Amino acid sequence: MMNTTLKLLAQQLQLSISTVSRALKDHPDISTATKEKVHALANSLDYEPNAYAIQLRTQSSKIFGVIVPAIANLFYDSFIAAIEEESRKNGYALMILQSSNNTENELNNLKIFRQNRVSGVFACLSAHTQNLEVYEKMSDRAIPVVFFDIVPKDNKYTKVRMADERCAIIAAEKIIERGAKRVLAIFGDPALSISQKRKQAFQQFMEKYAAKTHCTYINTHSSAEAEAAFDKHFNKSQKFDTVFAMTDEILIGVMKSIQAHNIKVPKEIGVISISNGFIPSLYHPVISYVETSGYELGKLAFVQMLANIKGGKTLSELTVDAKFVEGESM
Amino acid sequence: MMNTTLKLLAQQLQLSISTVSRALKDHPDISTATKEKVHALANSLDYEPNAYAIQLRTQSSKIFGVIVPAIANLFYDSFIAAIEEESRKNGYALMILQSSNNTENELNNLKIFRQNRVSGVFACLSAHTQNLEVYEKMSDRAIPVVFFDIVPKDNKYTKVRMADERCAIIAAEKIIERGAKRVLAIFGDPALSISQKRKQAFQQFMEKYAAKTHCTYINTHSSAEAEAAFDKHFNKSQKFDTVFAMTDEILIGVMKSIQAHNIKVPKEIGVISISNGFIPSLYHPVISYVETSGYELGKLAFVQMLANIKGGKTLSELTVDAKFVEGESM
DNA sequence: TTCATTTATGCAAACGTTTGCGGTAAATTT
DNA sequence: AAATTTACCGCAAACGTTTGCATAAATGAA
């Protein structure tokens, strides 16, 4: 069965293509009578405008591109879910590509986006991407880019991210409130700016407001490493009374060790983490955490994108604030 | 900066558009000399073909549509990751929309896909979608549809899914091997065909091969319900020695109760579930599970799609087999 | 030299829209 | 009755490609 086009409708109705086109979009030039006829036939023939023709003609695509390191990720998938919702509301669709934290993939993805003339792209930098000239290329093409989560340092870009320092500080506050004496603070890959920021903020805050509290700082690269590290440190004579996990990954490792040794939470040890919320809810008792919502970040990113498209430039950096979610682990 | 087009290249080189077009795609008609000149200029001017024009002209889009109930889901996001990988390899991009298990959204999504003339769609039915005529409309438009996971009953569709019955049977086998005497088997929403299939297969197998084993079957709709159910049943005088969780969601509930009561796994109770693998690995001891890989399913779905596009019809139903992954909980 | 063939290139239509401009008839005003 | 306005509608170009066909030049065969 053929696709019905404006031409077809026009022929059947003995009208010109332009009239049909205008009738379909309620142009005031067209009489109500014709409009009705056109709509009727369009419905019965199941007319659906060809997006490509429109995009070619109007030079705008109603599609956003999204680059994430990985789709299968608790944080990014909620980010995606958020912009998907907003996009739909605003008549946009999403094209999602994953970089697998690989700069080459990132480049290819951008290329696909350019070729498809997307209206904008949401980009999360790969861990080790340094060269941003590809993104300049997007700007040359007047395609706005909103960076999220892992963002470039340069202030000429539009970016949204979590309030990383705030997260760490909130966690520190809670730890101090608890009256912790000895805390083990576990952070992620030290090469990542997010690890650096969180660690620095945490450490600074602790030193300033709880100088007497004894803190041990370590970095790990995986769940398993975190588990091993916790194991090792917990077996020492001086036991920790509180552990802080910078990410879900780390929390998972810590909790495995805690379960393995049947350590009582929060009696023997207090646990606090930074998380999206899903993982902390898996355990009993439910873990207290500082919330970093990919969902919220997505909403914010979308607002920025829209502003960028409509109004022009918004070269600021916005952050979504963090809040403490009380569990039973502290 | 203007987008460079074939026309622009042609002008600058004093060639016709068609020559440039052909040169760019290594058409044998074009002399090596011109080819080189064209490529050189195209590179320096950063030419990138306009996908819309191509699609309009060729009536084919190099884009696949994907409908999932939710992106933020352990199973579906690994499915998506798989088809994303394959798509990229084959020069396709993905357009991903979520139905939120809502039939109306599903319809809208399909519409967007039609308007964008996607080359094919991967669809997971919403829980309560009955009317499939929208999908017929896709076929009318010669857009192949590969259903996955939640698939229609009718055999005229192309579908891939997990071997649901097999999963349940493998679990049952392991439970029998363990020499279980009293098992609590918890299934999901009884309205879902997947729950029905798994339950039926499980029950039948147990009755046939372990008639003396006492099984209690229950259905739950959420993690919290599963937790409550486990709580309730475990407090009875006759304790279960094994629990089977049909999904991650259920397992999560069960494990919370187990942690809360500090029940020893596997000594006091054996645990087995059906899962993607992520959740079972979170606990200590690591939970044994029957693997249903969204990733594998994605790969399979893609193969089907390609066959459908290239060869013509492939109206079969394919399933990806399940395998047991040994943890320490049995 | 002449005709046939190969090699290299250009012409123009088509894909399905949108939209500025112009046109005609009817309705309204002088 | 003539002039002007209003209400509808159509023409045609443009968006950037692809591709069948025609054309011109260069080569080969006779």
Side-chain angles (χ1 to χ4, degrees):
Chain A
M1 177 190 175
M2 258 304 292
N3 275 328
T4 77
T5 67
L6 288 186
K7 193 200 238 173
L8 187 74
L9 294 180
Q11 282 171 349
Q12 302 226 0
L13 290 166
Q14 297 284 56
L15 285 171
S16 76
I17 295 181
S18 24
T19 302
V20 176
S21 170
R22 289 185 171 105
L24 250 14
K25 41 177 44 108
D26 250 347
H27 193 287
D29 267 10
I30 308 299
S31 72
T32 336
T34 7
K35 276 183 194 169
E36 278 168 6
K37 268 190 287 186
V38 172
H39 275 113
L41 187 64
N43 278 334
S44 84
L45 257 51
D46 225 33
Y47 169 74
E48 293 192 351
N50 183 319
Y52 296 128
I54 295 176
Q55 285 150 1
L56 178 59
R57 171 63 224 234
T58 62
Q59 302 285 50
S60 88
S61 76
K62 288 288 183 182
I63 294 184
F64 288 130
V66 189
I67 300 190
V68 289
I71 296 170
N73 173 296
L74 261 14
F75 184 77
Y76 295 123
D77 62 11
S78 65
F79 177 89
I80 292 173
I83 55 178
E84 199 273 346
E85 281 181 22
E86 289 301 315
S87 294
R88 183 208 309 283
K89 278 189 209 154
N90 289 273
Y92 286 84
L94 244 45
M95 218 156 123
I96 305 174
L97 264 18
Q98 49 190 347
S99 68
S100 310
N101 252 322
N102 171 335
T103 304
E104 197 189 341
N105 282 340
E106 198 176 342
L107 296 190
N108 277 325
N109 292 346
L110 261 327
K111 187 170 177 183
I112 294 180
F113 288 157
R114 283 194 308 268
Q115 291 187 352
N116 279 281
R117 305 293 193 270
V118 296
S119 309
V121 357
F122 297 92
C124 174
L125 257 29
S126 288
H128 305 293
T129 295
Q130 294 300 335
N131 188 341
L132 294 176
E133 78 183 60
V134 236
Y135 289 101
E136 301 289 346
K137 209 184 269 187
M138 305 304 276
S139 309
D140 290 349
R141 299 261 197 296
I143 300 175
V145 178
V146 173
F147 291 94
F148 67 93
D149 199 39
I150 315 279
V151 305
K153 297 210 172 68
D154 200 319
N155 265 322
K156 67 180 167 184
Y157 300 106
T158 302
K159 29 189 177 168
V160 299
R161 59 176 185 86
M162 302 308 307
D164 291 319
E165 296 84 355
R166 278 279 298 152
C167 289
I169 289 174
I170 292 176
E173 276 175 358
K174 293 294 167 185
I175 290 174
I176 296 175
E177 266 180 36
R178 186 176 198 262
K181 295 281 169 274
R182 298 183 64 83
V183 358
L184 177 62
I186 313 182
F187 297 86
D189 186 342
L192 260 35
S193 76
I194 189 172
S195 302
Q196 296 161 10
K197 281 189 198 158
R198 286 181 174 177
K199 185 171 178 179
Q200 204 208 341
F202 186 90
Q203 188 162 5
Q204 214 167 300
F205 193 89
M206 289 303 286
E207 282 165 7
K208 185 160 175 195
Y209 295 104
K212 288 172 300 181
T213 305
H214 180 270
C215 292
T216 305
Y217 301 96
I218 55 180
N219 288 92
T220 62
H221 296 83
S222 68
S223 246
E225 252 185 53
E227 184 179 356
F230 183 88
D231 260 9
K232 185 180 124 201
H233 281 85
F234 198 80
N235 279 334
K236 296 211 177 126
S237 50
Q238 297 255 39
K239 292 239 188 284
F240 295 101
D241 54 24
T242 309
V243 59
F244 165 67
M246 189 196 97
T247 64
D248 278 332
E249 217 181 6
I250 295 168
L251 177 65
I252 289 170
V254 167
M255 289 306 292
K256 276 181 102 166
S257 181
I258 287 181
Q259 291 176 63
H261 299 112
N262 202 13
I263 303 168
K264 297 281 172 272
V265 175
K267 213 153 90 184
E268 295 178 55
I269 195 165
V271 180
I272 182 168
S273 74
I274 298 181
S275 169
N276 221 354
F278 177 68
I279 298 288
S281 76
L282 256 38
Y283 301 101
H284 181 96
V286 167
I287 308 301
S288 299
Y289 64 97
V290 182
E291 186 179 64
T292 67
S293 162
Y295 192 82
E296 293 293 329
L297 189 66
K299 296 286 184 180
L300 184 63
F302 197 87
V303 172
Q304 286 288 84
M305 178 62 83
L306 235 46
N308 215 314
I309 285 183
K310 298 239 178 86
K313 316 279 176 187
T314 39
L315 296 185
S316 39
E317 171 176 68
L318 289 185
T319 56
V320 356
D321 203 15
K323 66 168 191 281
F324 179 70
V325 177
E326 178 106 46
E328 298 158 348
S329 66
M330 286 284 280
Chain B
M1 175 189 175
M2 257 306 291
N3 275 327
T4 76
T5 66
L6 287 187
K7 192 200 238 172
L8 187 74
L9 294 181
Q11 282 172 350
Q12 302 225 1
L13 291 165
Q14 297 284 55
L15 285 172
S16 77
I17 297 182
S18 22
T19 303
V20 175
S21 171
R22 286 192 251 258
L24 250 12
K25 41 177 46 109
D26 252 347
H27 194 287
D29 269 7
I30 308 298
S31 72
T32 335
T34 7
K35 274 183 194 169
E36 278 168 6
K37 270 190 285 184
V38 172
H39 274 112
L41 187 66
N43 278 333
S44 84
L45 257 51
D46 224 33
Y47 169 74
E48 292 193 349
N50 184 317
Y52 296 128
I54 296 177
Q55 285 149 1
L56 179 59
R57 170 63 223 234
T58 63
Q59 302 286 50
S60 87
S61 76
K62 288 287 181 184
I63 293 184
F64 288 129
V66 189
I67 299 187
V68 290
I71 296 170
N73 174 295
L74 262 15
F75 184 76
Y76 295 124
D77 61 11
S78 64
F79 177 89
I80 292 173
I83 54 178
E84 199 271 348
E85 281 180 21
E86 289 302 315
S87 294
R88 183 209 308 283
K89 279 188 211 155
N90 289 273
Y92 286 84
L94 242 46
M95 217 156 124
I96 304 174
L97 264 17
Q98 50 188 346
S99 68
S100 310
N101 252 321
N102 171 335
T103 303
E104 196 188 340
N105 283 341
E106 197 177 341
L107 296 191
N108 277 324
N109 293 345
L110 261 326
K111 187 169 178 183
I112 294 179
F113 288 158
R114 282 195 308 268
Q115 292 187 353
N116 280 281
R117 306 290 193 271
V118 297
S119 310
V121 357
F122 296 93
C124 173
L125 258 27
S126 288
H128 304 294
T129 296
Q130 294 300 334
N131 188 342
L132 294 176
E133 78 183 61
V134 236
Y135 290 101
E136 300 289 346
K137 209 184 270 185
M138 305 303 278
S139 309
D140 289 348
R141 300 259 197 296
I143 299 176
V145 178
V146 173
F147 291 95
F148 66 92
D149 198 38
I150 316 279
V151 304
K153 298 208 172 67
D154 200 317
N155 265 322
K156 67 181 166 182
Y157 300 106
T158 302
K159 29 190 178 167
V160 298
R161 60 177 186 85
M162 302 308 307
D164 291 320
E165 296 84 355
R166 277 280 297 153
C167 289
I169 288 173
I170 291 175
E173 276 174 358
K174 293 293 166 183
I175 290 173
I176 295 174
E177 266 179 36
R178 185 177 199 260
K181 296 280 169 275
R182 298 182 63 84
V183 358
L184 176 62
I186 313 182
F187 297 86
D189 185 342
L192 261 35
S193 76
I194 188 173
S195 303
Q196 296 161 9
K197 281 189 200 158
R198 288 181 174 177
K199 185 170 176 178
Q200 204 208 341
F202 186 91
Q203 188 161 6
Q204 213 166 302
F205 193 89
M206 289 302 287
E207 281 166 6
K208 186 159 175 195
Y209 295 103
K212 288 172 298 180
T213 305
H214 180 269
C215 293
T216 306
Y217 300 96
I218 56 181
N219 288 91
T220 63
H221 297 82
S222 68
S223 244
E225 251 186 55
E227 184 180 356
F230 183 86
D231 262 9
K232 185 180 124 201
H233 281 86
F234 199 80
N235 280 333
K236 295 213 177 125
S237 51
Q238 296 257 39
K239 294 240 187 281
F240 295 101
D241 55 26
T242 309
V243 58
F244 165 67
M246 189 197 97
T247 64
D248 278 332
E249 216 181 8
I250 294 168
L251 176 65
I252 289 169
V254 167
M255 288 308 292
K256 277 180 100 165
S257 181
I258 286 181
Q259 291 177 63
H261 298 113
N262 203 13
I263 303 168
K264 298 281 172 270
V265 175
K267 212 153 91 185
E268 295 179 53
I269 195 165
V271 181
I272 183 169
S273 75
I274 299 181
S275 169
N276 219 355
F278 177 70
I279 297 288
S281 75
L282 257 37
Y283 301 101
H284 181 96
V286 167
I287 308 301
S288 299
Y289 63 96
V290 181
E291 186 177 64
T292 66
S293 161
Y295 193 82
E296 292 293 328
L297 189 65
K299 296 286 185 180
L300 184 62
F302 197 87
V303 172
Q304 285 288 84
M305 178 62 83
L306 236 44
N308 216 313
I309 285 183
K310 298 237 178 89
K313 315 280 178 188
T314 41
L315 295 184
S316 39
E317 172 176 65
L318 288 185
T319 57
V320 358
D321 203 15
K323 66 168 189 281
F324 179 70
V325 177
E326 179 106 47
E328 297 157 347
S329 65
M330 286 283 284

